[in-house]
Amino acid sequence: MIGLSPLYTDAVAAKRKFFQGSTIKKYSYGSGCKKSRPSTFCTVFGSAFSPALSGRTYLVACTSNGLICVWDSVGASTEPIIRVQAATADEVLYDVQFIQSNGDTLLVVSGDPGILLYKWSAFLNAMDNPSNGNIMLEPIAQFNPHPSPSDGEPIEINCTSYSAVDNALYGVAGDSFGCYQWDLESEKLVGTFGGAGKNRSNGDYVLT
């Protein structure tokens, strides 16, 4: 069961505890959140209201066990209309947001698997025939992060930002690697930007 109110409190507490630590290892944040709650619960990390299409608005949230959950914003039920298994149960999703690109409303989801890009219309179609269990929806694109220079393994994307000026999507990585920039038209990585206070010329970062 997924409810709303207790999860937001847990997310804030988990983030505060995590960022107070001086040494951070890959996935320690997500793993710690999973251990702090029974397996029947999860933590909500990111949420956003959908655009008001056809007079209806939905609340969309991503969770610590790879789910994207959608609620009717004016409904009385605490149960989601649909639950999309966007990643494995061991992968954390940290952020969701809506963007407009080439006339389409897109849902951008980021986390351990990188960035997943969905057409919001696919979610609306799925809600016309909701399922009691988790469902699968195919993203139209997936952007994978580079291996981290600190341990050589891909690191999670914690949040994203979209620039309509150059149709570029930016993703902030979960370590000192910094930020990625993708071109949505070509779906190619344009560049990476090192973290603050680091010397980009010392080989710690890859600039493309």
Side-chain angles (χ1 to χ4, degrees):
M1 177 181 296
I2 297 176
L4 283 174
S5 55
L7 300 182
Y8 288 101
T9 303
D10 289 346
V12 171
K15 288 181 179 180
R16 182 179 296 113
K17 181 179 179 181
F18 173 74
F19 286 110
Q20 286 174 348
S22 58
T23 302
I24 299 172
K25 293 184 178 180
K26 181 176 183 291
Y27 297 137
S28 60
Y29 184 17
S31 300
C33 292
K34 289 182 174 66
K35 291 178 182 178
S36 66
R37 295 188 61 85
S39 59
T40 53
F41 291 88
C42 63
T43 300
V44 169
F45 283 101
S47 61
F49 284 103
S50 72
L53 303 177
S54 302
R56 300 192 67 178
T57 303
Y58 298 92
L59 175 62
V60 182
C62 58
T63 74
S64 59
N65 56 358
L67 287 174
I68 304 170
C69 301
V70 184
W71 291 266
D72 190 334
S73 64
V74 296
S77 175
T78 59
E79 283 294 304
I81 303 172
I82 58 170
R83 298 186 298 271
V84 176
Q85 192 71 59
T88 69
D90 293 326
E91 292 180 310
V92 181
L93 300 177
Y94 292 105
D95 185 55
V96 294
Q97 68 163 297
F98 287 90
I99 66 172
Q100 296 288 332
S101 178
N102 295 326
D104 286 324
T105 300
L106 304 179
L107 177 64
V108 183
V109 184
S110 59
D112 287 344
I115 297 177
L116 305 171
L117 205 62
Y118 296 89
K119 282 194 173 184
W120 178 235
S121 58
F123 282 76
L124 295 177
N125 292 337
M127 285 188 285
D128 287 338
N129 297 287
S131 171
N132 290 328
N134 299 347
I135 65 171
M136 304 291 291
L137 290 178
E138 190 71 22
I140 61 172
Q142 179 171 357
F143 303 104
N144 299 314
H146 275 313
S148 168
S150 60
D151 58 17
E153 296 186 33
I155 210 73
E156 79 276 3
I157 300 295
N158 286 324
C159 63
T160 61
S161 180
Y162 173 68
S163 171
V165 175
D166 51 5
N167 200 30
L169 186 65
Y170 296 86
V172 179
D175 69 350
S176 59
F177 192 75
C179 178
Y180 302 91
Q181 178 187 0
W182 289 276
D183 176 69
L184 288 190
E185 188 70 27
S186 64
E187 299 185 7
K188 292 182 178 180
L189 182 67
V190 176
T192 59
F193 309 92
K198 296 291 185 178
N199 182 357
R200 298 181 186 179
S201 63
N202 65 4
D204 287 345
Y205 304 106
V206 178
L207 297 179
T208 58

